[in-house]
Amino acid sequence: MKIKGFVVNPLGENCYVAYDGTKEGVIIDCGCSTESEWTAIKSFIASENLSIKHLLNTHLHFDHVWGNAFVYRDCLLSPQAHSADTGIYEEMDEQIRSVVGFTIPHPPMPLLGRPLKEGDSILFGKTELKVIETPGHTQGSICFYSETDEVLFSGDTLFSGSCGRTDLEGGNQQDMMRSLAKLAQLPESTTVLCGHGPSTTIEKEKLYNPYM
């Protein structure tokens, strides 16, 4: 599996395009807030001649889903996420106001597609990502894990040296601690691609992250 990351929107969210030698791929957490940000991702997809099969969301906070409308418009892919985050997705303006204090214009969000749950498989080309439920940052937070490549897309659950905040709607500190303990059981060599900030490994986080 090959992975290309893009840092998008004012909150510095990491959007990932993952693909393999078959040229099939997925987009994870398309948080583009502008047409130009989406154009950069779309241009990369075209330059690699990729066929995007899935639009995936680790959770449904606005900074991770702003670009869903662009992907739906140009690729006709509905976002796939955990159903427990449906409420905050359907009340996007209220969600944004609760975080930043005012409304930010955004394109209409496309309807959610396939609901994802623990153990589900996301298949593209010869690659499989497994869904791991990791509530805490939101009720519906999930991670995507490739056992073959030892890569975890952790969203806002696990960061380098930290973890996602739990004081927003749907957040729960006890759930977060249980989710981090769950991720700590993955192979220590697993590369962790976070929703914000630099990548890390499970080994590093077990050694230095005070939350794990």
Side-chain angles (χ1 to χ4, degrees):
M1 180 171 59
K2 298 179 180 180
I3 302 162
K4 174 68 172 178
F6 299 84
V7 180
V8 298
N9 74 48
L11 277 70
E13 187 266 333
N14 294 325
C15 171
Y16 298 101
V17 177
Y19 58 102
D20 64 20
T22 69
K23 296 296 185 178
E24 292 188 355
V26 299
I27 300 174
I28 299 174
D29 285 349
C30 190
C32 302
S33 60
T34 64
E35 190 78 48
S36 61
E37 289 178 340
W38 167 238
T39 296
I41 296 173
K42 188 168 60 171
S43 296
F44 172 79
I45 291 169
S47 71
E48 296 294 322
N49 196 29
L50 302 181
S51 175
I52 301 300
K53 297 300 182 182
H54 303 280
L55 170 59
L56 308 176
N57 282 121
T58 59
H59 64 293
L60 296 177
H61 277 156
F62 67 94
D63 56 319
H64 290 251
V65 305
W66 255 330
N68 284 355
F70 299 132
V71 182
Y72 182 77
R73 181 195 67 194
D74 293 344
C75 304
L76 298 180
L77 292 173
S78 297
Q80 301 173 40
H82 196 285
S83 61
D85 276 359
T86 301
I88 61 174
Y89 185 77
E90 292 177 344
E91 299 177 356
M92 190 62 58
D93 289 336
E94 181 177 331
Q95 180 198 140
I96 295 172
R97 278 195 300 271
S98 71
V99 176
V100 301
F102 51 87
T103 299
I104 301 174
H106 60 85
M109 293 293 102
L111 295 176
L112 295 174
R114 171 191 177 189
L116 300 176
K117 63 183 185 303
E118 177 79 20
D120 280 350
S121 291
I122 309 295
L123 303 175
F124 58 97
K126 297 180 180 179
T127 302
E128 178 183 27
L129 299 177
K130 298 292 285 189
V131 175
I132 303 175
E133 293 183 355
T134 54
H137 181 60
T138 66
Q139 291 180 336
S141 287
I142 55 178
C143 298
F144 301 106
Y145 175 59
S146 168
E147 182 177 4
T148 300
D149 294 282
E150 292 192 335
V151 171
L152 178 77
F153 298 92
S154 66
D156 285 5
T157 297
L158 177 60
F159 297 137
S160 177
S162 187
C163 66
R165 58 189 293 185
T166 58
D167 60 332
L168 301 175
E169 181 181 356
N172 183 285
Q173 186 67 20
Q174 290 182 331
D175 285 345
M176 177 64 81
M177 292 301 101
R178 284 190 288 266
S179 293
L180 293 173
K182 186 177 184 179
L183 295 182
Q185 301 306 307
L186 295 175
E188 291 187 345
S189 55
T190 300
T191 296
V192 181
L193 300 176
C194 310
H196 300 268
S199 62
T200 184
T201 65
I202 293 295
E203 179 182 29
K204 179 180 177 182
E205 296 316 300
K206 288 173 71 173
L207 286 172
Y208 302 113
N209 191 326
Y211 297 98
M212 286 189 77

